[in-house]
Amino acid sequence: MENENITAVAEGKPSGYKVTKKDLRNANWRWLMSVCTFNYQTQQGASVAYALSPVLRKIYTNDEDYKQALNNHFRYYNTQPWLAAIILGACVAMEERDGLAAADAVQDLKIGTMGPLAGVGDSLLMTMIPTIMGSIAAYMAIEGNPVGAGIWFALILAIFWVRMHALEFGYKQGVKLVTDFSEKLPNLTAASVLGLTVVGCLIASVIGVTCPISFSFGDVAMEIQPLLDKILPAMIPAAITGSAYYLLTKKNASMTALILVVIVLAMVASAAGILA
Amino acid sequence: MVNFTILQVVLLTLLAFIKHVDYYGIPMIFVNYAVFWGLITGVVMGDWKTGLVIGGTIQLMQLGVAGFGGSSIPDYGTMAIIATAYGVTLGSDTGLAIGLPVGMLGIQLDVVAKILNGFVVEKSQKFCNEGKFNQMNAILWVCPALFGLCAALPVFVSVTLGQPAVNWLLEVMPQWFLSGLTLAGKMLPAVGIAMLLRYMPTAKYFQYLLAGFFLSAFLNVPIIGAAIVGVALAIAFYQRAERDTELAAHASADAFIGEDE
């Protein structure tokens, strides 16, 4: 059987190559391409092909099979890229074992997990952490203190380390993990509880808008803001946030439009001396 | 008057390029977060403190705002770079007034890059089908470069051609415009927070939002303090959810046995 290496493996079958830790690490680094190839047709699809192309080359020694496998990954893909690495690892495991026979299952896995991963990743990783850490960092930064930014950076590096092991993790856990994960998903609502508590605090502390209006009756000046504070502290910030939330959810306003509206409103309110 | 040296122009443009390549994935460390890019620009301009303050101010406007699923959002990182570059000499308020409009314009370029990427990716797949696998991978590097230009171009124009315009603008800019922008900076976090709330189960768990608001508005608890209370509430919620799942499992098992009999 000395010519085993020369004869092409049967069509669609994997070469029997055992994927190494190095292959997975390499694919994980290449997956940094993620959103960089973003386009309106296939979104992150090309990045998946880019990330997996070296390891797939080892799995499929036959050119035609390799092309087919790559084309499978060139297809539409879009989710939170840090968590996607876990799924790509699982895909490598499937293709290593079954070759092109796994192509449909690989697609199903990728498409099926896109929504849940984006949901968890976008809210938790891309919004909640930046909101909490960002507000701490920003508050200290405004006073010229870089410590908050430093703490956030340390967290970012820790997350980066985890990210760089995600593909390997997905490879080892395989599909089992994904099913376990979906079962546990409802419990992640607990993270929303933390998030909502913090956001409630943010409304009262981050939006520093006050009302500078004051009336004067002869010698007695009456300011509006202390009066408002007695009724409900942070009343104006709560009202602005509430209106923005209403416009976004009930009126389907786009965020960009809303930002522009706020800027114009701010110009008017500031010129009229209503808000400061 | 502001005059940037050639070295500063090169460094600022390069910084913007790196910033956007990082933002879109390689390696997605600073993700266009204004506080970091303000600080880094401050270091480049030789005044890290102004950069930090400006970055922090923009970071507040950015809170809760994130681009998902390819949606385009204002370019807060570019805003921070330009605002800091000008703010170091002109003061942070003026710097912000210059940076803000450019950051808003960044949205448009981002759309162009995503359209162009479509052609690059098409070509890459064509290389794949022709068996030119090296070219297939190599050409994809055009995509991050295009995204890099989305930030590098506005920054380059702002600190070169933009200079006379900026200097002219500074002479004619009315006071109401400046104070209006300052107020906008205070109001914009509300938009971000509202956006965040939209992605959270706000209506269902409104009580936790109230609790957090109370802590800050009435007790002046800082954010970290509210986060600690939030963790406590989250643990309680998790334990209750686990117990409910177990009970539900038991209940359905009982029902199954019942059916069997």
Side-chain angles (χ1 to χ4, degrees), chain A residues 149-225:
Chain A
I151 298 173
W152 191 7
F153 185 50
L155 180 66
I156 287 173
L157 288 185
I159 293 174
F160 187 72
W161 188 87
V162 175
R163 281 168 58 197
M164 285 303 112
H165 292 80
L167 204 136
E168 201 185 324
F169 176 75
Y171 172 82
K172 282 185 189 144
Q173 298 291 319
V175 187
K176 181 182 155 286
L177 168 94
V178 181
T179 42
D180 285 0
F181 179 71
S182 327
E183 277 168 21
K184 280 260 158 74
L185 211 55
N187 291 348
L188 278 172
T189 316
S192 300
V193 170
L194 163 63
L196 284 170
T197 312
V198 173
V199 171
C201 168
L202 285 179
I203 293 173
S205 56
V206 169
I207 307 155
V209 182
T210 53
C211 177
I213 297 175
S214 70
F215 299 104
S216 47
F217 305 101
D219 292 342
V220 192
M222 194 168 101
E223 289 179 46
I224 295 286
Q225 186 60 42

Side-chain angles (χ1 to χ4, degrees), chain A residues 32-61:
Chain A
L32 287 179
M33 187 63 99
S34 58
V35 198
C36 278
T37 64
F38 194 97
N39 61 86
Y40 291 113
Q41 293 89 43
T42 60
Q43 313 223 327
Q44 301 164 13
S47 291
V48 178
Y50 179 84
L52 300 184
S53 62
V55 65
L56 290 178
R57 177 79 274 195
K58 288 173 179 168
I59 293 173
Y60 303 101
T61 43

Side-chain angles (χ1 to χ4, degrees), chain A residues 12 60 65 68-73 75 91 94-95 98-111:
Chain A
Y60 303 101
D65 289 348
Q68 221 175 311
L70 282 173
N71 274 313
N72 194 35
H73 286 294
R75 284 152 78 177
C91 292
M94 288 159 80
E95 294 199 43
D98 300 328
L100 283 179
D104 286 342
V106 160
Q107 271 303 318
D108 289 346
L109 175 65
K110 278 167 67 186
I111 302 289

